[in-house]
Amino acid sequence: TYKKVQKHITGYYFPDSSIKNVNDRVISITGAEAGNITSWAYSEKLNRLIALGYIKNGIQTDQLKFIVNENNDKIEIRDCALPIHISE
């Protein structure tokens, strides 16, 4: 059977506040494609990069760990509820 909804929208943030630019692929800790980033911006209020994107259904949020940039470096990422609010 074909599942109609295969992904859902989410917010992302980057724990490393020095990150200023990202690519669009989100991968899990196992290396599997987990979603993508559709847009991103630097938040002066949060002092870090935030983003919007999609997560494939069935991916556990604790499995979302990295995105891959154009140099194949792994950058830590976390998903969060919308609107984006971080309480660390």
Side-chain angles (χ1 to χ4, degrees), residues 43-74:
S43 169
E44 294 290 334
K45 182 178 180 182
L46 299 174
N47 193 33
R48 68 185 69 232
L49 200 66
I50 58 174
L52 292 174
Y54 291 96
I55 298 177
K56 292 181 179 180
N57 287 344
I59 300 288
Q60 300 295 325
T61 57
D62 62 342
Q63 294 290 308
L64 289 176
K65 296 296 182 187
F66 303 107
I67 63 159
V68 177
N69 71 11
E70 56 275 356
N71 299 323
N72 287 327
D73 297 327
K74 291 182 179 177

PDB file of all heavy atoms in Angstrom, residues 43-74:
ATOM      1  N   SER A  43      19.757  33.427  13.309  1.00  0.00           N
ATOM      2  CA  SER A  43      18.905  34.102  14.281  1.00  0.00           C
ATOM      3  C   SER A  43      19.772  34.899  15.246  1.00  0.00           C
ATOM      4  O   SER A  43      20.547  34.322  16.009  1.00  0.00           O
ATOM      5  CB  SER A  43      18.078  33.076  15.059  1.00  0.00           C
ATOM      6  OG  SER A  43      17.443  33.693  16.162  1.00  0.00           O
ATOM      7  N   GLU A  44      19.624  36.210  15.209  1.00  0.00           N
ATOM      8  CA  GLU A  44      20.347  37.062  16.156  1.00  0.00           C
ATOM      9  C   GLU A  44      19.864  36.806  17.582  1.00  0.00           C
ATOM     10  O   GLU A  44      20.650  36.808  18.523  1.00  0.00           O
ATOM     11  CB  GLU A  44      20.147  38.547  15.801  1.00  0.00           C
ATOM     12  CG  GLU A  44      20.761  38.949  14.472  1.00  0.00           C
ATOM     13  CD  GLU A  44      22.276  38.963  14.497  1.00  0.00           C
ATOM     14  OE1 GLU A  44      22.872  39.155  15.577  1.00  0.00           O
ATOM     15  OE2 GLU A  44      22.871  38.765  13.422  1.00  0.00           O
ATOM     16  N   LYS A  45      18.575  36.568  17.749  1.00  0.00           N
ATOM     17  CA  LYS A  45      18.000  36.325  19.072  1.00  0.00           C
ATOM     18  C   LYS A  45      18.551  35.043  19.695  1.00  0.00           C
ATOM     19  O   LYS A  45      18.875  35.005  20.873  1.00  0.00           O
ATOM     20  CB  LYS A  45      16.484  36.257  18.978  1.00  0.00           C
ATOM     21  CG  LYS A  45      15.810  36.046  20.308  1.00  0.00           C
ATOM     22  CD  LYS A  45      14.300  36.045  20.171  1.00  0.00           C
ATOM     23  CE  LYS A  45      13.645  35.829  21.514  1.00  0.00           C
ATOM     24  NZ  LYS A  45      12.195  35.780  21.416  1.00  0.00           N
ATOM     25  N   LEU A  46      18.650  33.990  18.884  1.00  0.00           N
ATOM     26  CA  LEU A  46      19.133  32.704  19.389  1.00  0.00           C
ATOM     27  C   LEU A  46      20.640  32.538  19.241  1.00  0.00           C
ATOM     28  O   LEU A  46      21.212  31.573  19.733  1.00  0.00           O
ATOM     29  CB  LEU A  46      18.418  31.557  18.671  1.00  0.00           C
ATOM     30  CG  LEU A  46      16.902  31.513  18.850  1.00  0.00           C
ATOM     31  CD1 LEU A  46      16.299  30.433  17.972  1.00  0.00           C
ATOM     32  CD2 LEU A  46      16.537  31.305  20.306  1.00  0.00           C
ATOM     33  N   ASN A  47      21.262  33.452  18.494  1.00  0.00           N
ATOM     34  CA  ASN A  47      22.708  33.447  18.273  1.00  0.00           C
ATOM     35  C   ASN A  47      23.187  32.146  17.624  1.00  0.00           C
ATOM     36  O   ASN A  47      24.208  31.587  18.011  1.00  0.00           O
ATOM     37  CB  ASN A  47      23.459  33.714  19.576  1.00  0.00           C
ATOM     38  CG  ASN A  47      24.916  34.029  19.328  1.00  0.00           C
ATOM     39  OD1 ASN A  47      25.264  34.623  18.310  1.00  0.00           O
ATOM     40  ND2 ASN A  47      25.775  33.618  20.235  1.00  0.00           N
ATOM     41  N   ARG A  48      22.422  31.694  16.649  1.00  0.00           N
ATOM     42  CA  ARG A  48      22.787  30.464  15.939  1.00  0.00           C
ATOM     43  C   ARG A  48      21.967  30.347  14.662  1.00  0.00           C
ATOM     44  O   ARG A  48      20.988  31.049  14.476  1.00  0.00           O
ATOM     45  CB  ARG A  48      22.593  29.234  16.810  1.00  0.00           C
ATOM     46  CG  ARG A  48      21.153  28.922  17.113  1.00  0.00           C
ATOM     47  CD  ARG A  48      20.979  27.775  18.078  1.00  0.00           C
ATOM     48  NE  ARG A  48      21.448  28.177  19.389  1.00  0.00           N
ATOM     49  CZ  ARG A  48      22.319  27.484  20.108  1.00  0.00           C
ATOM     50  NH1 ARG A  48      22.780  26.351  19.669  1.00  0.00           N
ATOM     51  NH2 ARG A  48      22.706  27.911  21.279  1.00  0.00           N
ATOM     52  N   LEU A  49      22.362  29.409  13.830  1.00  0.00           N
ATOM     53  CA  LEU A  49      21.646  29.130  12.596  1.00  0.00           C
ATOM     54  C   LEU A  49      20.409  28.301  12.906  1.00  0.00           C
ATOM     55  O   LEU A  49      20.477  27.353  13.707  1.00  0.00           O
ATOM     56  CB  LEU A  49      22.569  28.354  11.654  1.00  0.00           C
ATOM     57  CG  LEU A  49      22.235  28.364  10.184  1.00  0.00           C
ATOM     58  CD1 LEU A  49      22.385  29.776   9.620  1.00  0.00           C
ATOM     59  CD2 LEU A  49      23.164  27.430   9.439  1.00  0.00           C
ATOM     60  N   ILE A  50      19.284  28.654  12.311  1.00  0.00           N
ATOM     61  CA  ILE A  50      18.051  27.876  12.428  1.00  0.00           C
ATOM     62  C   ILE A  50      17.589  27.538  11.010  1.00  0.00           C
ATOM     63  O   ILE A  50      18.007  28.178  10.048  1.00  0.00           O
ATOM     64  CB  ILE A  50      16.949  28.622  13.199  1.00  0.00           C
ATOM     65  CG1 ILE A  50      16.628  29.958  12.526  1.00  0.00           C
ATOM     66  CG2 ILE A  50      17.356  28.807  14.660  1.00  0.00           C
ATOM     67  CD1 ILE A  50      15.446  30.695  13.147  1.00  0.00           C
ATOM     68  N   ALA A  51      16.727  26.536  10.899  1.00  0.00           N
ATOM     69  CA  ALA A  51      16.307  26.099   9.568  1.00  0.00           C
ATOM     70  C   ALA A  51      14.921  25.477   9.615  1.00  0.00           C
ATOM     71  O   ALA A  51      14.433  25.069  10.663  1.00  0.00           O
ATOM     72  CB  ALA A  51      17.309  25.089   9.023  1.00  0.00           C
ATOM     73  N   LEU A  52      14.309  25.392   8.443  1.00  0.00           N
ATOM     74  CA  LEU A  52      13.079  24.640   8.231  1.00  0.00           C
ATOM     75  C   LEU A  52      13.392  23.511   7.265  1.00  0.00           C
ATOM     76  O   LEU A  52      14.249  23.656   6.392  1.00  0.00           O
ATOM     77  CB  LEU A  52      11.992  25.522   7.621  1.00  0.00           C
ATOM     78  CG  LEU A  52      11.442  26.625   8.488  1.00  0.00           C
ATOM     79  CD1 LEU A  52      10.484  27.487   7.670  1.00  0.00           C
ATOM     80  CD2 LEU A  52      10.741  26.054   9.701  1.00  0.00           C
ATOM     81  N   GLY A  53      12.677  22.419   7.419  1.00  0.00           N
ATOM     82  CA  GLY A  53      12.903  21.317   6.506  1.00  0.00           C
ATOM     83  C   GLY A  53      11.947  20.182   6.771  1.00  0.00           C
ATOM     84  O   GLY A  53      10.974  20.329   7.506  1.00  0.00           O
ATOM     85  N   TYR A  54      12.242  19.053   6.165  1.00  0.00           N
ATOM     86  CA  TYR A  54      11.401  17.866   6.279  1.00  0.00           C
ATOM     87  C   TYR A  54      12.165  16.720   6.909  1.00  0.00           C
ATOM     88  O   TYR A  54      13.372  16.593   6.735  1.00  0.00           O
ATOM     89  CB  TYR A  54      10.910  17.431   4.897  1.00  0.00           C
ATOM     90  CG  TYR A  54       9.928  18.389   4.288  1.00  0.00           C
ATOM     91  CD1 TYR A  54      10.344  19.360   3.387  1.00  0.00           C
ATOM     92  CD2 TYR A  54       8.587  18.332   4.636  1.00  0.00           C
ATOM     93  CE1 TYR A  54       9.438  20.247   2.830  1.00  0.00           C
ATOM     94  CE2 TYR A  54       7.674  19.213   4.092  1.00  0.00           C
ATOM     95  CZ  TYR A  54       8.106  20.165   3.192  1.00  0.00           C
ATOM     96  OH  TYR A  54       7.214  21.043   2.652  1.00  0.00           O
ATOM     97  N   ILE A  55      11.422  15.884   7.635  1.00  0.00           N
ATOM     98  CA  ILE A  55      11.943  14.622   8.174  1.00  0.00           C
ATOM     99  C   ILE A  55      11.072  13.512   7.604  1.00  0.00           C
ATOM    100  O   ILE A  55       9.842  13.633   7.595  1.00  0.00           O
ATOM    101  CB  ILE A  55      11.873  14.571   9.710  1.00  0.00           C
ATOM    102  CG1 ILE A  55      12.730  15.651  10.336  1.00  0.00           C
ATOM    103  CG2 ILE A  55      12.295  13.197  10.219  1.00  0.00           C
ATOM    104  CD1 ILE A  55      12.637  15.690  11.849  1.00  0.00           C
ATOM    105  N   LYS A  56      11.705  12.454   7.133  1.00  0.00           N
ATOM    106  CA  LYS A  56      10.941  11.301   6.652  1.00  0.00           C
ATOM    107  C   LYS A  56      10.192  10.667   7.822  1.00  0.00           C
ATOM    108  O   LYS A  56      10.718  10.570   8.937  1.00  0.00           O
ATOM    109  CB  LYS A  56      11.874  10.265   6.030  1.00  0.00           C
ATOM    110  CG  LYS A  56      12.506  10.730   4.741  1.00  0.00           C
ATOM    111  CD  LYS A  56      13.399   9.653   4.168  1.00  0.00           C
ATOM    112  CE  LYS A  56      14.016  10.110   2.866  1.00  0.00           C
ATOM    113  NZ  LYS A  56      14.883   9.078   2.286  1.00  0.00           N
ATOM    114  N   ASN A  57       8.955  10.248   7.577  1.00  0.00           N
ATOM    115  CA  ASN A  57       8.187   9.556   8.610  1.00  0.00           C
ATOM    116  C   ASN A  57       8.917   8.274   9.002  1.00  0.00           C
ATOM    117  O   ASN A  57       9.531   7.618   8.171  1.00  0.00           O
ATOM    118  CB  ASN A  57       6.789   9.228   8.110  1.00  0.00           C
ATOM    119  CG  ASN A  57       5.916  10.454   8.025  1.00  0.00           C
ATOM    120  OD1 ASN A  57       6.220  11.492   8.602  1.00  0.00           O
ATOM    121  ND2 ASN A  57       4.835  10.352   7.283  1.00  0.00           N
ATOM    122  N   GLY A  58       8.844   7.948  10.274  1.00  0.00           N
ATOM    123  CA  GLY A  58       9.501   6.747  10.770  1.00  0.00           C
ATOM    124  C   GLY A  58      10.908   6.984  11.296  1.00  0.00           C
ATOM    125  O   GLY A  58      11.490   6.113  11.921  1.00  0.00           O
ATOM    126  N   ILE A  59      11.465   8.168  11.049  1.00  0.00           N
ATOM    127  CA  ILE A  59      12.786   8.494  11.573  1.00  0.00           C
ATOM    128  C   ILE A  59      12.624   9.010  13.004  1.00  0.00           C
ATOM    129  O   ILE A  59      11.855   9.932  13.249  1.00  0.00           O
ATOM    130  CB  ILE A  59      13.491   9.579  10.729  1.00  0.00           C
ATOM    131  CG1 ILE A  59      13.673   9.110   9.287  1.00  0.00           C
ATOM    132  CG2 ILE A  59      14.808  10.011  11.356  1.00  0.00           C
ATOM    133  CD1 ILE A  59      14.717   8.040   9.107  1.00  0.00           C
ATOM    134  N   GLN A  60      13.292   8.378  13.934  1.00  0.00           N
ATOM    135  CA  GLN A  60      13.252   8.818  15.324  1.00  0.00           C
ATOM    136  C   GLN A  60      14.081  10.084  15.476  1.00  0.00           C
ATOM    137  O   GLN A  60      15.174  10.173  14.929  1.00  0.00           O
ATOM    138  CB  GLN A  60      13.805   7.720  16.249  1.00  0.00           C
ATOM    139  CG  GLN A  60      13.049   6.429  16.180  1.00  0.00           C
ATOM    140  CD  GLN A  60      11.627   6.567  16.683  1.00  0.00           C
ATOM    141  OE1 GLN A  60      11.352   7.320  17.608  1.00  0.00           O
ATOM    142  NE2 GLN A  60      10.710   5.855  16.063  1.00  0.00           N
ATOM    143  N   THR A  61      13.580  11.055  16.229  1.00  0.00           N
ATOM    144  CA  THR A  61      14.305  12.319  16.349  1.00  0.00           C
ATOM    145  C   THR A  61      15.662  12.147  17.018  1.00  0.00           C
ATOM    146  O   THR A  61      16.576  12.914  16.750  1.00  0.00           O
ATOM    147  CB  THR A  61      13.485  13.376  17.099  1.00  0.00           C
ATOM    148  OG1 THR A  61      13.131  12.874  18.378  1.00  0.00           O
ATOM    149  CG2 THR A  61      12.242  13.740  16.314  1.00  0.00           C
ATOM    150  N   ASP A  62      15.825  11.132  17.851  1.00  0.00           N
ATOM    151  CA  ASP A  62      17.142  10.912  18.459  1.00  0.00           C
ATOM    152  C   ASP A  62      18.129  10.336  17.445  1.00  0.00           C
ATOM    153  O   ASP A  62      19.318  10.246  17.716  1.00  0.00           O
ATOM    154  CB  ASP A  62      17.055  10.032  19.702  1.00  0.00           C
ATOM    155  CG  ASP A  62      16.535   8.635  19.413  1.00  0.00           C
ATOM    156  OD1 ASP A  62      15.928   8.416  18.339  1.00  0.00           O
ATOM    157  OD2 ASP A  62      16.723   7.766  20.268  1.00  0.00           O
ATOM    158  N   GLN A  63      17.637   9.943  16.274  1.00  0.00           N
ATOM    159  CA  GLN A  63      18.509   9.457  15.202  1.00  0.00           C
ATOM    160  C   GLN A  63      19.022  10.589  14.305  1.00  0.00           C
ATOM    161  O   GLN A  63      19.914  10.388  13.508  1.00  0.00           O
ATOM    162  CB  GLN A  63      17.764   8.446  14.331  1.00  0.00           C
ATOM    163  CG  GLN A  63      17.399   7.177  15.048  1.00  0.00           C
ATOM    164  CD  GLN A  63      18.620   6.327  15.358  1.00  0.00           C
ATOM    165  OE1 GLN A  63      19.412   6.047  14.482  1.00  0.00           O
ATOM    166  NE2 GLN A  63      18.783   5.957  16.608  1.00  0.00           N
ATOM    167  N   LEU A  64      18.409  11.772  14.412  1.00  0.00           N
ATOM    168  CA  LEU A  64      18.844  12.914  13.605  1.00  0.00           C
ATOM    169  C   LEU A  64      20.051  13.539  14.260  1.00  0.00           C
ATOM    170  O   LEU A  64      19.953  14.136  15.320  1.00  0.00           O
ATOM    171  CB  LEU A  64      17.738  13.960  13.498  1.00  0.00           C
ATOM    172  CG  LEU A  64      16.560  13.580  12.648  1.00  0.00           C
ATOM    173  CD1 LEU A  64      15.521  14.682  12.731  1.00  0.00           C
ATOM    174  CD2 LEU A  64      16.982  13.358  11.216  1.00  0.00           C
ATOM    175  N   LYS A  65      21.178  13.429  13.619  1.00  0.00           N
ATOM    176  CA  LYS A  65      22.385  13.915  14.246  1.00  0.00           C
ATOM    177  C   LYS A  65      23.171  14.879  13.369  1.00  0.00           C
ATOM    178  O   LYS A  65      23.810  15.779  13.879  1.00  0.00           O
ATOM    179  CB  LYS A  65      23.306  12.744  14.624  1.00  0.00           C
ATOM    180  CG  LYS A  65      22.713  11.827  15.668  1.00  0.00           C
ATOM    181  CD  LYS A  65      22.511  12.534  16.982  1.00  0.00           C
ATOM    182  CE  LYS A  65      21.973  11.563  18.014  1.00  0.00           C
ATOM    183  NZ  LYS A  65      21.607  12.190  19.249  1.00  0.00           N
ATOM    184  N   PHE A  66      23.174  14.685  12.082  1.00  0.00           N
ATOM    185  CA  PHE A  66      24.092  15.434  11.248  1.00  0.00           C
ATOM    186  C   PHE A  66      23.461  15.874   9.940  1.00  0.00           C
ATOM    187  O   PHE A  66      22.527  15.256   9.453  1.00  0.00           O
ATOM    188  CB  PHE A  66      25.313  14.580  10.883  1.00  0.00           C
ATOM    189  CG  PHE A  66      26.053  14.053  12.050  1.00  0.00           C
ATOM    190  CD1 PHE A  66      25.986  12.727  12.397  1.00  0.00           C
ATOM    191  CD2 PHE A  66      26.845  14.902  12.818  1.00  0.00           C
ATOM    192  CE1 PHE A  66      26.677  12.227  13.483  1.00  0.00           C
ATOM    193  CE2 PHE A  66      27.538  14.404  13.906  1.00  0.00           C
ATOM    194  CZ  PHE A  66      27.462  13.071  14.236  1.00  0.00           C
ATOM    195  N   ILE A  67      24.025  16.912   9.383  1.00  0.00           N
ATOM    196  CA  ILE A  67      23.826  17.197   7.979  1.00  0.00           C
ATOM    197  C   ILE A  67      25.203  17.101   7.349  1.00  0.00           C
ATOM    198  O   ILE A  67      26.220  17.151   8.036  1.00  0.00           O
ATOM    199  CB  ILE A  67      23.209  18.586   7.720  1.00  0.00           C
ATOM    200  CG1 ILE A  67      24.131  19.682   8.203  1.00  0.00           C
ATOM    201  CG2 ILE A  67      21.847  18.708   8.337  1.00  0.00           C
ATOM    202  CD1 ILE A  67      23.838  20.991   7.548  1.00  0.00           C
ATOM    203  N   VAL A  68      25.231  16.952   6.057  1.00  0.00           N
ATOM    204  CA  VAL A  68      26.504  16.861   5.353  1.00  0.00           C
ATOM    205  C   VAL A  68      26.663  18.113   4.510  1.00  0.00           C
ATOM    206  O   VAL A  68      25.786  18.451   3.720  1.00  0.00           O
ATOM    207  CB  VAL A  68      26.556  15.608   4.457  1.00  0.00           C
ATOM    208  CG1 VAL A  68      27.857  15.566   3.686  1.00  0.00           C
ATOM    209  CG2 VAL A  68      26.379  14.360   5.294  1.00  0.00           C
ATOM    210  N   ASN A  69      27.772  18.819   4.689  1.00  0.00           N
ATOM    211  CA  ASN A  69      27.990  20.020   3.875  1.00  0.00           C
ATOM    212  C   ASN A  69      28.694  19.652   2.583  1.00  0.00           C
ATOM    213  O   ASN A  69      28.969  18.485   2.306  1.00  0.00           O
ATOM    214  CB  ASN A  69      28.731  21.101   4.670  1.00  0.00           C
ATOM    215  CG  ASN A  69      30.180  20.764   4.944  1.00  0.00           C
ATOM    216  OD1 ASN A  69      30.721  19.813   4.390  1.00  0.00           O
ATOM    217  ND2 ASN A  69      30.809  21.532   5.798  1.00  0.00           N
ATOM    218  N   GLU A  70      29.000  20.652   1.786  1.00  0.00           N
ATOM    219  CA  GLU A  70      29.585  20.403   0.465  1.00  0.00           C
ATOM    220  C   GLU A  70      30.961  19.754   0.536  1.00  0.00           C
ATOM    221  O   GLU A  70      31.413  19.148  -0.426  1.00  0.00           O
ATOM    222  CB  GLU A  70      29.647  21.701  -0.354  1.00  0.00           C
ATOM    223  CG  GLU A  70      30.381  22.833   0.310  1.00  0.00           C
ATOM    224  CD  GLU A  70      29.513  23.644   1.269  1.00  0.00           C
ATOM    225  OE1 GLU A  70      28.316  23.389   1.385  1.00  0.00           O
ATOM    226  OE2 GLU A  70      30.066  24.527   1.926  1.00  0.00           O
ATOM    227  N   ASN A  71      31.643  19.817   1.685  1.00  0.00           N
ATOM    228  CA  ASN A  71      32.950  19.177   1.858  1.00  0.00           C
ATOM    229  C   ASN A  71      32.835  17.791   2.489  1.00  0.00           C
ATOM    230  O   ASN A  71      33.828  17.212   2.907  1.00  0.00           O
ATOM    231  CB  ASN A  71      33.854  20.054   2.720  1.00  0.00           C
ATOM    232  CG  ASN A  71      34.099  21.398   2.102  1.00  0.00           C
ATOM    233  OD1 ASN A  71      34.219  21.512   0.887  1.00  0.00           O
ATOM    234  ND2 ASN A  71      34.168  22.424   2.925  1.00  0.00           N
ATOM    235  N   ASN A  72      31.607  17.275   2.596  1.00  0.00           N
ATOM    236  CA  ASN A  72      31.318  15.998   3.259  1.00  0.00           C
ATOM    237  C   ASN A  72      31.668  16.008   4.739  1.00  0.00           C
ATOM    238  O   ASN A  72      31.901  14.957   5.331  1.00  0.00           O
ATOM    239  CB  ASN A  72      31.989  14.824   2.541  1.00  0.00           C
ATOM    240  CG  ASN A  72      31.305  14.504   1.236  1.00  0.00           C
ATOM    241  OD1 ASN A  72      30.095  14.664   1.114  1.00  0.00           O
ATOM    242  ND2 ASN A  72      32.073  14.060   0.262  1.00  0.00           N
ATOM    243  N   ASP A  73      31.738  17.191   5.351  1.00  0.00           N
ATOM    244  CA  ASP A  73      31.903  17.289   6.797  1.00  0.00           C
ATOM    245  C   ASP A  73      30.558  17.041   7.458  1.00  0.00           C
ATOM    246  O   ASP A  73      29.520  17.401   6.920  1.00  0.00           O
ATOM    247  CB  ASP A  73      32.395  18.681   7.195  1.00  0.00           C
ATOM    248  CG  ASP A  73      33.760  19.008   6.629  1.00  0.00           C
ATOM    249  OD1 ASP A  73      34.582  18.084   6.497  1.00  0.00           O
ATOM    250  OD2 ASP A  73      33.987  20.183   6.311  1.00  0.00           O
ATOM    251  N   LYS A  74      30.583  16.438   8.630  1.00  0.00           N
ATOM    252  CA  LYS A  74      29.347  16.225   9.377  1.00  0.00           C
ATOM    253  C   LYS A  74      29.171  17.380  10.355  1.00  0.00           C
ATOM    254  O   LYS A  74      30.073  17.696  11.123  1.00  0.00           O
ATOM    255  CB  LYS A  74      29.382  14.895  10.109  1.00  0.00           C
ATOM    256  CG  LYS A  74      29.317  13.719   9.163  1.00  0.00           C
ATOM    257  CD  LYS A  74      29.305  12.417   9.905  1.00  0.00           C
ATOM    258  CE  LYS A  74      29.211  11.258   8.924  1.00  0.00           C
ATOM    259  NZ  LYS A  74      29.261   9.971   9.623  1.00  0.00           N
TER     260      LYS A  74
END
